Amino acid sequence: LLQLEPGEAALWCSSDPIEPAAPNTDPWEILPVRNVRVTMIEDQTELLSKQYSELPNQNFAEENPRFGGVIRYEFSVATTKTAKELKLHQVGETARLWINGIPCGAVTMTPFVFGIEHAWCEGENNLIIEVAVNQAYSRRDRFSTNAVLPPMGLFGDIQIR
């Protein structure tokens, strides 16, 4: 099993034909997310920490137009199901995931899907999702002042299968 750190890449060269793995056709199920702690961190300083009863579906750029750090979502989910994948509906800009303290990787583009089989367990699962926002929010120059930027944060449902 090859494990890469964020930003690393690997190239596999072989004359042997590789058969692609069969796609997972199990249906996605919405994860019931409750009691979410959202923390905004910039330059290793906690700027805002707030508790929500459910996953906030809001663009944090509206309240913090010059924020250029990480938005951390922390919550626990109790389940009787096993899961192999977790999908985030929409992320503004990149996301990293930890389940029960185990890193599950980073995603930078759609589909925002993580392999979680190694970390997910039946029972209580503690999730941390960190969304790194577009740095153009905090570092605007005269060329990017009117640039249309993606929303900041997580949007839509979190699903597992």
Side-chain angles (χ1 to χ4, degrees):
L1 176 66
L2 175 65
Q3 292 184 338
L4 300 174
E5 291 296 316
E8 293 181 332
L11 178 63
W12 177 267
C13 298
S14 173
S15 60
D16 297 332
I18 298 175
E19 293 195 27
N24 186 345
T25 57
D26 295 337
W28 290 101
E29 295 182 32
I30 294 175
L31 196 61
V33 178
R34 302 284 180 265
N35 299 319
V36 182
R37 162 81 44 205
V38 176
T39 308
M40 297 180 79
I41 303 163
E42 190 168 29
D43 297 326
Q44 300 179 350
T45 302
E46 204 173 283
L47 302 179
L48 167 81
S49 188
K50 188 174 179 181
Q51 189 78 27
Y52 294 87
S53 60
E54 58 186 27
L55 188 66
N57 196 15
Q58 74 180 69
N59 182 359
F60 286 95
E62 293 170 1
E63 297 173 11
N64 306 282
R66 292 291 189 184
F67 178 73
V70 172
I71 303 172
R72 178 183 294 151
Y73 299 80
E74 298 177 74
F75 55 93
S76 295
V77 176
T79 182
T80 59
K81 299 182 182 288
T82 59
K84 294 181 180 179
E85 296 177 306
L86 181 141
K87 179 168 75 171
L88 305 174
H89 180 71
Q90 184 181 354
V91 176
E93 181 89 11
T94 66
R96 294 182 70 181
L97 172 68
W98 291 263
I99 298 177
N100 301 321
I102 301 169
C104 297
V107 291
T108 59
M109 66 172 80
T110 189
F112 299 106
V113 177
F114 297 90
I116 62 169
E117 190 172 16
H118 67 287
W120 191 265
C121 63
E122 290 184 36
E124 187 86 6
N125 288 283
N126 300 306
L127 286 81
I128 297 175
I129 302 169
E130 286 188 349
V131 175
V133 304
N134 191 313
Q135 292 303 298
Y137 276 111
S138 65
R139 291 168 176 81
R140 295 233 173 157
D141 57 19
R142 63 187 176 126
F143 300 108
S144 64
T145 300
N146 297 316
V148 178
L149 298 173
M152 186 188 294
L154 288 178
F155 302 93
D157 295 320
I158 298 175
Q159 299 174 314
I160 60 169
R161 67 174 176 191

